[in-house]
Structure formats: structure tokens, C-alpha cells
Amino acid sequence: MAPSRKPGPEPVDTALRSFLGEHSGSHQLRVALSGGRDSTVLLHALARHDPERRALPLHVHHGLHPLADAQAEHCRRIAGELGYRCRVLEIRVPEQSGEGVEAAARRLRYRALAQGANAGECILTAHHATDQAETFLLAALKGSGPAGLAAMPSMRRIGPCWLARPLLGVPGAAIAAYAQAHGLRWLEDPTNADLRFDRNFLRREVMPRLAGRFPVERRLGVAAGLQAEVADVLDGLLDPLLDGLRGPGPNCLDVRGLSSQPASRRPWLLRRFITRAGADPPRRRRLLEFLRQLEEAAPDASPALHWDGRSLRTYRGALYLLATAEDGEAEPPHQGLAWPRGAAELQLPDGRVLTRRELQDAGIADPEGVRIGFRQGGEWLRQPDGTRRTLKNLMQEHGIPPWRRARVPLIERDGELIAVLWSR
């Protein structure tokens, strides 16, 4: 029987050449550089195989251990040796978080890596087959469904750009062989030895024992791939149902239609509703609790669910998915803004832009001297017939959900409310 051949550096080269061949062009490649072995291998291989030199090494400084500064400096040095300039991004990870330190650090890290990226750019991470197997096991131990058990996709959207894992199919042993063959130097993150973190416990205590008995990376990678197929089929079955449950606006569902679905189907529909809008859903138990509140709510009640910059809100039989910026009740009222003399538009404090044409459509022929304000409470608006109505009643009649009312622009002149931009 021929002796088994140890993995050489070829799998890394093959995987990266394949990725670069499929993603040729002028788009920048943002490389997540931790300074550890795996990301050092990825940047080194890019320097060899990407003659266009599109890589931009980014190191996220999370400050979770005393050597964080030295780690950032190490990344600058190894990037410089390869002809790149590493950019260091600092984040602050909350010590107390409902999602846990690991999850919070991961979410903030990806947000920092994507900050300022242009559409079409790729963020590259050095995740490999061992990482994929660990992720599958972690998801299984958390009781995840198909989407969680699918572990890490090789490509996915993240903000305006893509997150890519070109080495995801490469065995961890091949990564180690590449580093040894090229004499690479790296700096181990001291938190990788902390067994309080679940992934470290799996990596150091569980995976070696499994690997001694099973081809664990390959088999768990296959299992993750099958779960990804299941998740894709499930989404395909749920999408037509969601299309039939559309509410009166964008990112909106009809509550009665959702409640008419079988109870076992509702959490899957709600989860797909959230992911289809490009958001990450909350944990299943929170979705189940929200659905219970929705089922038992009194006619005048408005159950809500808030998580990670998103909200589910109900109003008049409709369920809305909102970003934090849209959830006006989370924002303090803004002071009035004077319309600039001769200006064609005015930027509001929340980033929205009003145009002179919008004011003209609201009956304000000359915006000079008007102020754009927001609801404070107790406002009245004079009607065309000369009567005066409370702004509160008018907003109810126009079907403005409560969370939007503080964001509706009000047009004032000489201290009197003269018009409302209802569509805003």
C-alpha cells in the first residue's frame, strides 16, 4: 500500500487561481488580515497570483486583549513586506451584549470591513475547511435550522459588496503546509487559546478527537452543503406564499394573512420575510415570542420586536420591517430648519433631502421664509375651508404609523403650521 501523501501547498494555489479567474476585473479585494497563519497565507498567495495588485489588507483592531496594538503593528509589517499598505480599523466590542462577545465582535468586524466599500468590491477572508466544520458543529449545538447548518457560504452579500471565502474548500492541513513551504511568519491571537470561547473549545478539545476517527472536515463540509441546498429549496417554497401576503407598503406583510397560515409555517415565513429584505433575523425564540404576542394581541395593541438595528412593528393589520433610522420613535424630535435662500433642496438631520419642487407640490409657491419642523405635539393645521384640525387626527386619517409621525416634515411660516409633507 502506497504511503499517504501529506497535503502540499497546491490546494491553496489552485483555489486562489480559480477564484481570481472567476472574479477578474478592476474591483478592489479587501483582505481581512488578522496577522494569524490563515490570513497571512491568503495575502501571500494573493501577492503571488494577482498581478493587478488589487488587494487592500484591512486589520480590525478590536482591543480584546493586551497584545492588540502589537498585532496591528505586525499586520502593517507583513503587509509592507509583500508590497501592500495595511489599513487598521478600530472597533469597540461591548462587554455586555445579548448576542455574546464572540457574535458582537464578528458583527462589528464585518461592518468595519465593509465600511466605505463600493458596489462590486469583495471582502476576502481566509476561512477554510476546518473552520467550516467547526461552524457546522457550533450551529448544530445551538439548535440551528437549515440556514445555520449551511455554515459559511463561499460568497454572500454584505452591504454594497461581496464577502468571499476563496479557501473554504481547502483543508486546514494544506493551509499549514503552504505556510511552512513558504517560510511564513505570523502572530497568534492570544484569545485563540481561551477555552471560554466555544469555537476555541471545539477546535482544541473536540475536533482533534473527531478527526482521529472520522474524515470530519470532508463529511461535515458535505453536510453543510446539503443544508445549504435545503435552505435554498425552502426559500423557493416560501417566496410565493410571501408574495401572497404582501401588505400596503414595501417590506410589509398582512397580519391576518400571516395568522391564517399553519402555526408551524409562520416562523419560517417571518424569517424569510426578514432575510429577503436583506436583514439578519433574530433568534428563533424571539420570533416565536413575537408571533405569540401577535396572536394574542388586543385589537388596539401594537406588538413590536427590536433587534440589531431592525424592528418589526404592527399598525392597522399590517406588519412592517424597519431599519432603526426609519423607526422614528427611537429618535428625538429635531428643531426646525430654515429653508436656505435660493436653495433647490434642504438636507434633513436624518439624511433625507427635501426639494423645492416638493414644497411647491404641497402648495408652497415660495419657500423663502419657511421652516421645516417636526411634530412636537399639539399642532393644528388650517384646512382649505378655513377650519382647523389637530395634526394628531390628520395623521391618523392619513394612515401614518405612529413610528413615522415624528419624522413627517412640517412646513411652518411665522410660527404657524401651513402644510404637511405626508408622503415623507
Side-chain angles (χ1 to χ4, degrees):
M1 183 175 183
S4 60
R5 181 171 177 256
K6 293 183 179 180
E10 295 85 356
V12 172
D13 296 318
T14 301
L16 196 56
R17 280 197 299 263
S18 175
F19 172 82
L20 292 173
E22 294 173 1
H23 300 85
S24 59
S26 59
H27 288 307
Q28 194 169 65
L29 303 175
R30 295 177 165 224
V31 182
L33 181 64
S34 69
R37 183 197 67 188
D38 302 343
S39 63
T40 302
V41 165
L42 175 59
L43 187 62
H44 184 274
L46 271 171
R48 295 174 59 230
H49 295 294
D50 183 27
E52 298 175 14
R53 309 290 288 178
R54 292 178 291 161
L56 171 63
L58 299 174
H59 174 75
V60 179
H61 186 311
H62 48 56
L64 291 177
H65 56 76
L67 297 180
D69 289 339
Q71 202 165 13
E73 185 56 37
H74 173 77
C75 287
R76 289 192 180 99
R77 183 168 59 254
I78 62 174
E81 291 172 357
L82 293 171
Y84 298 108
R85 182 176 180 179
C86 179
R87 184 187 302 171
V88 175
L89 312 172
E90 295 192 11
I91 62 172
R92 183 181 297 274
V93 181
E95 294 182 4
Q96 300 296 328
S97 171
E99 58 187 325
V101 175
E102 286 179 279
R106 181 170 57 252
R107 176 175 57 81
L108 294 172
R109 180 165 62 249
Y110 284 134
R111 179 187 298 176
L113 292 169
Q115 185 72 31
N118 297 317
E121 285 189 23
C122 276
I123 298 168
L124 306 190
T125 67
H127 293 109
H128 49 74
T130 306
D131 300 317
Q132 183 77 319
E134 293 168 356
T135 302
F136 179 91
L137 283 176
L138 284 170
L141 292 169
K142 291 176 182 177
S144 298
L149 293 173
M152 296 180 289
S154 58
M155 291 277 291
R156 73 172 176 89
R157 279 281 185 186
I158 176 170
C161 53
W162 291 93
L163 175 65
R165 301 179 174 97
L167 305 181
L168 196 58
V170 177
I175 302 290
Y178 182 102
Q180 182 178 8
H182 292 277
L184 302 185
R185 294 174 292 108
W186 60 88
L187 191 64
E188 289 291 346
D189 187 330
T191 61
N192 287 342
D194 191 340
L195 297 184
R196 292 176 300 172
F197 296 120
D198 293 339
R199 185 177 290 273
N200 292 344
F201 175 76
L202 278 181
R203 180 174 297 162
R204 293 177 176 271
E205 301 290 330
V206 177
M207 289 291 287
R209 298 200 66 181
L210 288 176
R213 189 176 184 95
F214 305 101
V216 64
E217 288 185 16
R218 180 173 59 81
R219 289 189 180 176
L220 294 186
V222 169
L226 290 173
Q227 291 301 311
E229 292 180 13
V230 170
D232 186 58
V233 170
L234 180 60
D235 289 346
L237 295 173
L238 294 173
D239 283 346
L241 294 174
L242 282 174
D243 291 340
L245 299 176
R246 291 185 187 276
N251 292 335
C252 180
L253 285 181
D254 176 68
V255 172
R256 182 175 297 179
L258 178 64
S259 299
S260 70
Q261 295 291 318
S264 61
R265 190 180 294 168
R266 290 174 212 157
W268 293 102
L269 284 165
L270 196 52
R271 188 184 190 285
R272 178 56 179 163
F273 168 62
I274 294 168
T275 58
R276 197 161 73 160
D280 293 325
R283 292 188 175 179
R284 181 178 172 84
R285 73 170 183 273
R286 298 194 66 190
L287 278 184
L288 292 174
E289 172 60 21
F290 175 71
L291 285 167
R292 184 195 65 78
Q293 294 177 12
L294 206 60
E295 179 99 8
E296 301 175 1
D300 58 345
S302 298
L305 174 60
H306 307 278
W307 79 99
D308 295 344
R310 294 282 179 166
S311 301
L312 285 173
R313 305 290 295 265
T314 54
Y315 181 66
R316 293 186 177 180
L319 173 64
Y320 295 84
L321 174 63
L322 308 168
T324 299
E326 300 172 297
D327 198 337
E329 290 186 349
E331 300 178 4
H334 300 297
Q335 298 298 319
L337 302 171
W339 191 273
R341 182 179 298 275
E345 61 183 31
L346 172 68
Q347 183 169 334
L348 302 179
D350 60 8
R352 291 178 296 165
V353 176
L354 297 184
T355 66
R356 192 183 188 100
R357 178 60 182 270
E358 287 181 277
L359 268 63
Q360 292 171 346
D361 291 344
I364 311 299
D366 182 9
E368 304 294 344
V370 304
R371 295 183 68 84
I372 307 300
F374 298 89
R375 185 183 178 203
Q376 304 291 318
E379 294 89 351
W380 294 73
L381 178 65
R382 190 176 301 279
Q383 303 298 289
D385 62 3
T387 61
R388 298 173 74 239
R389 301 279 308 282
T390 67
L391 182 61
K392 178 180 178 180
N393 288 340
L394 289 171
M395 285 191 166
Q396 291 174 343
E397 289 181 11
H398 279 79
I400 307 297
W403 60 86
R404 276 194 55 217
R405 294 174 187 173
R407 301 178 73 240
V408 175
L410 311 178
I411 306 174
E412 305 168 353
R413 179 175 273 135
D414 298 329
E416 181 183 3
L417 178 60
I418 60 174
V420 180
L421 298 182
W422 297 112
S423 63
R424 285 292 194 150

